[in-house]
Amino acid sequence: MHKLRRHALLSALSAITVATLVATGCSHDSSSTADKARAAAAETPKAAAAEEQLAVVSAPTDEATPAAVADGNAVDQGKAKKSTLKVASYDRKTGRAVIAAPPARDTEPTPDPSASKPAATGPGAGSDAESGEESDAESGAAAEQGPDAERDSGSGSGSGSRSDSGSADEGSGAERGSAPGSAPASTPAAGSRPVAVGDVIASAPAPGAPDGLLAKVTDIVGTTQDGSGTTVQTEPAELNSVLGESKADGTVPVDPSTMDVDPLVQGVKVSWAKTGDLTFGPQGAKLPLGSLRIDVGAAVETAPGAPASAAASVHGFVQLAPEVAFSYDGSGAGTGAAPGGAFLGLTGDWASKWSLKGRAAGTTDGKPVRVPFAELHADPVIQVGPVPIVVNLDLVCYFQVDADGRVTVDVEQDLKGDFRVGGNFTWAKGWTGVSESDMTGEPLKATVTATGKVKAALGAEATIGLYGTVGVTADLAPYLRAEADATAEGSANGTGSAKGAWALYGGVDLTGTLNIQLSIFGTPIFQKKIPLGALQKEWLLTKGEAATA
């Protein structure tokens, strides 16, 4: 009796202590602040969602980039989540894709707790009390874990409905043909549920989709013969369907080592330097980290009738460190409307050092002669939050000559600066072009003879798009322009004089267009290409004049 009374007294004191803690200590913890934050978010859910800022970074290169899936039936449509699903194959002509889940993880059978417990031997053994305490603890843990624990453990109602965790309930063990009461043979990985109609998939380059894939599931065709994937019918999707009301802004450098280079003329050499890992092509090339350099030396067509000593040629290099600029403002995009703002462009540092010699023939039918000498291509993947966005970048390096064929030049220029080109969207103005460049140069050599003019450029034409669509085309052409004017006078007694003046200018031309495919952001579609807006800057490098008797 004394023991029972003592046990009852201790139980009562414990209950009073717990009640006191609940009434006092717990009221001062951070839960009240969290409750207020949740309440504020509930009052303005759209504002809270729109404030989410996603990081813009390079996708990891040492492992496969995971796909992202936006649940078409979720309340927060347009908010994609990282997924273990992958695009196993894709047919661009038909829009049909095979979506595969990772192999299921085997699980050990759950041991029967009663098998390891000794049976009760009689009064006072304590087995009932211990069993009761363990049952209470297990019940409490299950209550704390909630229904998510049920889904994670593979159990469910067997209704086949999709769970919040992104996995699909496969039904009870009896429905799958297993023995009643036995544990499931495998458990689906988190985020590996089969896709459904309305889902939007964003994937890095995959078989059949070298430019990546951004597509909406329109129909479930069925399971593949080997059961490893689900065949679905898709249609092109837009970025606001996976980025929703979030915001993102950043620039990502393009790894020069990932660029494919195709030399188009003899004498082209390529070298590059990657941050933290120097790799050089031509011996002696000096590059800042993260830059690409293309050296060229090629003959240029000589003007008709020019002597052999006036042979024309171009020598030099172009060095650039390109970066992809991406921004997105999803204000209002969650309701199916276009985002509040967007930008896609190319930016970076530029350096070139080159020379033009000889008497060049620089026009054909009134147009300058352009000679491409290298083509470059890269498909960098940038990670915007959980969403992999595949950027398609093409560069064509060229030299261009516009001359009248009378003037002979020997000029050399050292040019440095930066550039920024792209398309910018705002609700007030729609899509507008961005053309910016800040470059300066100095002459290293300048000799101009005879009368005439010549303009020569060593530039690059860049095309940037997303998921295989062309978005922005820009032509950046730093140039040299020389002009000379000479006059001569004579008389019958054999005396005469000659005088001349010449000038050398440096400059940059920046032109380009925005293309209709920029509607991939979910913005209104425009019906024609929009010029970026021509940018031309020119500065005097040097000038001179001479007179002789």
Side-chain angles (χ1 to χ4, degrees), residues 125-145:
S127 58
D128 291 343
E130 291 174 3
S131 176
E133 290 172 4
E134 289 178 2
S135 299
D136 291 342
E138 291 173 0
S139 300
E144 289 176 2
Q145 292 175 357

Side-chain angles (χ1 to χ4, degrees), residues 410-505:
D410 185 357
V411 295
E412 186 175 353
Q413 182 190 30
D414 190 358
L415 185 74
K416 294 180 180 179
D418 55 38
F419 63 94
R420 178 180 176 87
V421 294
N424 187 62
F425 175 81
T426 61
W427 265 112
K429 297 182 180 180
W431 280 103
T432 56
V434 175
S435 301
E436 300 172 359
S437 178
D438 184 13
M439 293 193 183
T440 58
E442 60 182 24
L444 303 178
K445 184 186 296 184
T447 302
V448 184
T449 60
T451 300
K453 60 181 181 179
V454 59
K455 180 180 178 181
L458 190 66
E461 184 179 79
T463 301
I464 184 170
L466 301 177
Y467 299 107
T469 63
V470 178
V472 177
T473 300
D475 194 339
L476 181 64
Y479 65 83
L480 280 170
R481 186 175 70 85
E483 57 184 19
D485 183 16
T487 59
E489 297 178 354
S491 62
N493 60 8
T495 62
S497 64
K499 62 179 180 179
W502 56 271
L504 181 65
Y505 300 88

Side-chain angles (χ1 to χ4, degrees), residues 31-374:
S31 62
S32 60
T33 304
D35 291 341
K36 290 179 182 178
R38 283 193 293 270
E43 291 176 1
T44 56
K46 290 185 179 180
E51 291 176 357
E52 183 180 4
Q53 185 77 24
L54 302 179
V56 180
V57 297
S58 298
T61 57
D62 55 345
E63 57 185 10
T65 304
V69 176
D71 189 344
N73 297 320
V75 176
D76 53 348
Q77 289 190 19
K79 187 175 182 180
K81 298 179 180 179
K82 189 178 294 186
S83 174
T84 54
L85 296 174
K86 66 176 182 178
V87 178
S89 65
Y90 176 70
D91 187 337
R92 185 180 294 274
K93 292 183 179 180
T94 63
R96 186 163 290 191
V98 175
I99 310 300
R105 298 193 301 267
D106 293 334
T107 57
E108 295 294 333
T110 305
D112 184 2
S114 62
S116 61
K117 290 184 178 180
T121 56
S127 58
D128 291 343
E130 291 174 3
S131 176
E133 290 172 4
E134 289 178 2
S135 299
D136 291 342
E138 291 173 0
S139 300
E144 289 176 2
Q145 292 175 357
D148 289 57
E150 256 185 61
R151 286 194 296 269
D152 292 341
S153 64
S155 62
S157 61
S159 63
S161 62
R162 292 185 299 183
S163 65
D164 294 337
S165 64
S167 61
D169 294 334
E170 300 293 341
S172 65
E175 290 173 344
R176 292 193 298 270
S178 58
S182 64
S186 62
T187 302
S192 62
R193 63 165 179 78
V195 292
V197 173
D199 289 354
V200 180
I201 302 171
S203 169
D211 299 319
L213 183 65
L214 178 63
K216 181 179 181 180
V217 177
T218 59
D219 187 27
I220 304 297
V221 178
T223 305
T224 56
Q225 291 184 354
D226 59 359
S228 62
T230 302
T231 303
V232 298
Q233 190 68 37
T234 69
E235 65 180 14
E238 297 168 337
L239 276 173
N240 57 344
S241 61
V242 288
L243 296 180
E245 295 190 350
S246 59
K247 293 183 179 181
D249 185 15
T251 57
V252 177
V254 178
D255 183 353
S257 66
T258 63
M259 301 194 78
D260 297 325
V261 182
D262 183 15
L264 302 179
V265 300
Q266 294 290 334
V268 173
K269 298 179 181 180
V270 178
S271 56
W272 53 266
K274 177 183 175 182
T275 302
D277 181 14
L278 298 179
T279 303
F280 297 104
Q283 192 70 21
K286 296 181 180 180
L287 299 172
L289 297 181
S291 293
L292 177 74
R293 172 170 163 165
I294 305 107
D295 289 73
V296 61
V300 181
E301 184 179 356
T302 305
S309 59
S313 62
V314 170
H315 293 270
F317 69 84
V318 172
Q319 180 177 303
L320 66 161
E323 295 182 342
V324 175
F326 178 92
S327 69
Y328 174 87
D329 180 0
S331 302
T335 60
F343 179 83
L344 175 65
L346 188 68
T347 181
D349 295 327
W350 173 285
S352 59
K353 183 178 178 182
W354 60 289
S355 65
L356 173 65
K357 298 180 180 181
R359 187 184 301 181
T363 57
T364 54
D365 299 328
K367 296 182 180 180
V369 174
R370 175 176 289 202
V371 180
F373 60 84

